[in-house]
């Protein structure tokens, strides 16, 4: 008998050699005997067991591995009871894999193999119990313990900081206030700041502020909180929305190494860019960044009496791209408005703003008697915008070369993507909660989900699976893998496709997809 392995199962065959007179060579016939059961052939049809139910299995395995790899369970166990840890992880899995409302979590949970595993079995997942759980988490200090554990394990000393708005229609949460909404929504909001480790790409901490609090007011609390959590030396990478004398003075006083783009709304920054408009092109300022030739000049900027060091960058390729894109968008806006008729004059500004968006300040619009629009381009405003394209100033504190400064700031776009994932893919907006404590508990879960998703994205990049799959595509492929319960109580893993085997091998998940038995 000959043993052949297929799909992780051994099968037995009877091999009989014979001599082929026509081809003048020894050949063989192969007869299938059956599945290898304790060394004896047994026909599959004799042992077939009817499936009773199929539960979701494949999509959970990468997340369970990440939880183990990051030690998330251990970090949470220092702050929460064991059952709450499991519930928090379960809800975080749901945010990553298939976000549903709290009233539908129970159905999703019961359709997953987690409900049969000892580690996650018998969790209370009714809408009422989950609401009570979120409220309990929101009232606790679990977030601080999570931040401390994440920072101690994963902070490499370069932190990306940014702020976003999360909207809600609730009338019962005091922190919901009207303010500058980054999504252009006209609803009340809370502001959420997130600090991410630049090198590992792992979110480390977040903070929640009332919706009316502006960007420049949040940095103070974050710097103090980072200090309280035990980080003494780090580099803060900040967006231009935080560029103000008060914030810069705070960073100087706390001796924080930072990189921040100078805001072009400041008069001294505008004057600096204008005064060096031609001088920056001096061949002595020529540098090469990766494969791009740019011009760089060290400068010092006066910010209301506070002198800050910086580098003036001029990128001709970026100038051409940005200029072409700007003119294309401007043309499309003007063309659309010229072909528009607005019957009600009171709707004119609203409609024009909705069409023009960020280009509203570069046009003038007059509604005519026949409801048509006359559009005029503000030439001076356009000229000033074009003159700044490809030119920007990065300010810094500490010892930093022009290349370190530029590279450090370019890597901050990681956090932009994370905010996008938080608000869209994790279904965090609009916030559909009624209590402030429940809202804080829900954001705690979203933050856990954000950690898992970002680490999953990192794994895709490290294994080069990102060339074939985005996170959503990967999840969809793995969702096809089920754990099937048979009549006698045995569990059987569904057959794996070539695509799934490739994913499992590249992500080193082989041991997770070989489980059968009671």
């Amino acid at each position: 008998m000959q043993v052949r392995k297929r799909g992780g199962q051994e099968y037995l065959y009877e091999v009989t050699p014979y001599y082929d007179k026509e081809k003048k060579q020894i050949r063989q016939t192969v007869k299938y005997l059956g599945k290898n059961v304790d060394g004896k052939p047994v026909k599959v049809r004799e042992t077939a067991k009817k499936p009773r139910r199929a539960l979701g299995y494949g999509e959970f395995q990468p997340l369970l591995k990440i939880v183990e790899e990051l030690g998330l369970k251990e970090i949470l166990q220092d702050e929460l009871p064991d059952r709450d840890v499991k519930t928090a992880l379960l809800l975080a899995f749901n945010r990553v894999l298939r976000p549903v409302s709290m009233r539908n979590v129970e159905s999703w949970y019961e359709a997953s193999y987690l409900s049969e595993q000892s580690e996650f079995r018998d969790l209370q997942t009714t809408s009422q119990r989950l609401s009570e759980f979120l409220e309990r988490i929101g009232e606790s200090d679990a977030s601080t313990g999570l931040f401390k554990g994440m920072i101690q394990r994963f902070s490499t000393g370069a932190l990306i900081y940014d702020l976003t708005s999360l909207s809600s229609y609730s009338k019962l949460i005091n922190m919901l206030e009207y303010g500058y909404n980054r999504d252009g929504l006209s609803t009340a909001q809370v502001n959420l700041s997130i600090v991410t480790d630049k090198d590992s790409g792992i979110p480390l901490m977040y903070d929640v502020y009332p919706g009316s609090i502006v960007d420049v007011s949040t940095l103070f609390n974050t710097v103090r909180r980072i200090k309280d959590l035990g980080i003494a030396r780090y580099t803060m990478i900040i967006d231009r929305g935080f560029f103000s004398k008060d914030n810069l003075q705070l960073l100087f006083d706390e001796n924080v190494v930072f990189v921040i783009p100078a805001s072009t709304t400041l008069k001294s920054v505008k004057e600096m860019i204008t005064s060096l408009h031609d001088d920056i092109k001096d061949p002595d300022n020529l540098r090469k960044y990766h494969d791009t030739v740019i011009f760089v000049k060290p400068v010092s900027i006066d910010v209301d009496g506070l002198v800050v060091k910086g580098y003036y960058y001029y990128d001709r390729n970026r100038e051409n791209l940005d200029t072409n894109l700007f003119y294309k968008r401007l043309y499309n806006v003007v063309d659309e408005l010229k072909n528009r008729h607005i019957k009600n004059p009171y709707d004119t500004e609203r409609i024009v703003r909705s069409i023009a968006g960020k280009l509203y300040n570069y046009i003038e619009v007059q509604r005519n008697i026949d409801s048509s629009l006359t559009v005029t381009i503000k030439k001076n405003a356009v000229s000033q915008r074009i003159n700044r394209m490809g030119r920007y100033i990065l300010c810094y504190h500490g010892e930093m070369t022009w290349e370190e400064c530029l590279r450090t700031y370019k890597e901050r776009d990681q956090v932009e993507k994370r905010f996008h994932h938080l608000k869209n893919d994790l279904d965090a907006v609009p916030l559909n909660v009624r209590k402030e404590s429940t809202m804080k508990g829900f954001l705690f879960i979203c933050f856990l989900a954000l950690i898992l998703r970002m680490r999953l994205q990192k794994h895709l990049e490290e294994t080069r699976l990102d060339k074939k799959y985005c996170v959503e595509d990967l999840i969809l492929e793995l969702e096809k893998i089920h754990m099937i319960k048979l009549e006698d109580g045995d569990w059987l893993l569904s057959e794996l496709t070539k695509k799934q085997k490739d994913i499992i091998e590249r992500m080193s998940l082989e041991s997770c997809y070989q489980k059968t038995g009671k």
Side-chain angles (χ1 to χ4, degrees), residues 278-295:
D278 295 323
D279 292 346
I280 189 66
K281 300 176 185 178
D282 188 311
D284 289 340
N285 297 326
L286 197 60
R287 303 288 185 273
K288 189 174 183 180
Y289 183 75
H290 294 171
D291 294 327
T292 303
V293 174
I294 61 176
F295 295 86

Side-chain angles (χ1 to χ4, degrees), residues 33 41-49:
L33 299 178
V42 179
K43 294 288 187 181
V44 173
R45 62 176 175 269
E46 297 173 6
T47 61
K49 307 168 189 175

Side-chain angles (χ1 to χ4, degrees), residues 503-514:
I503 293 171
I504 291 167
E505 182 180 351
R506 292 208 206 181
M507 299 188 76
S508 301
L509 293 168
E510 290 90 346
S511 61
C512 302
Y513 295 92
Q514 296 175 355

Side-chain angles (χ1 to χ4, degrees), residues 326 361-363 378-386 388:
F326 174 80
N361 294 327
Y362 298 96
I363 58 175
K378 296 180 180 178
K379 295 181 180 180
N380 287 339
V382 169
S383 178
Q384 291 178 16
R385 173 70 179 273
I386 294 300
R388 293 199 302 269

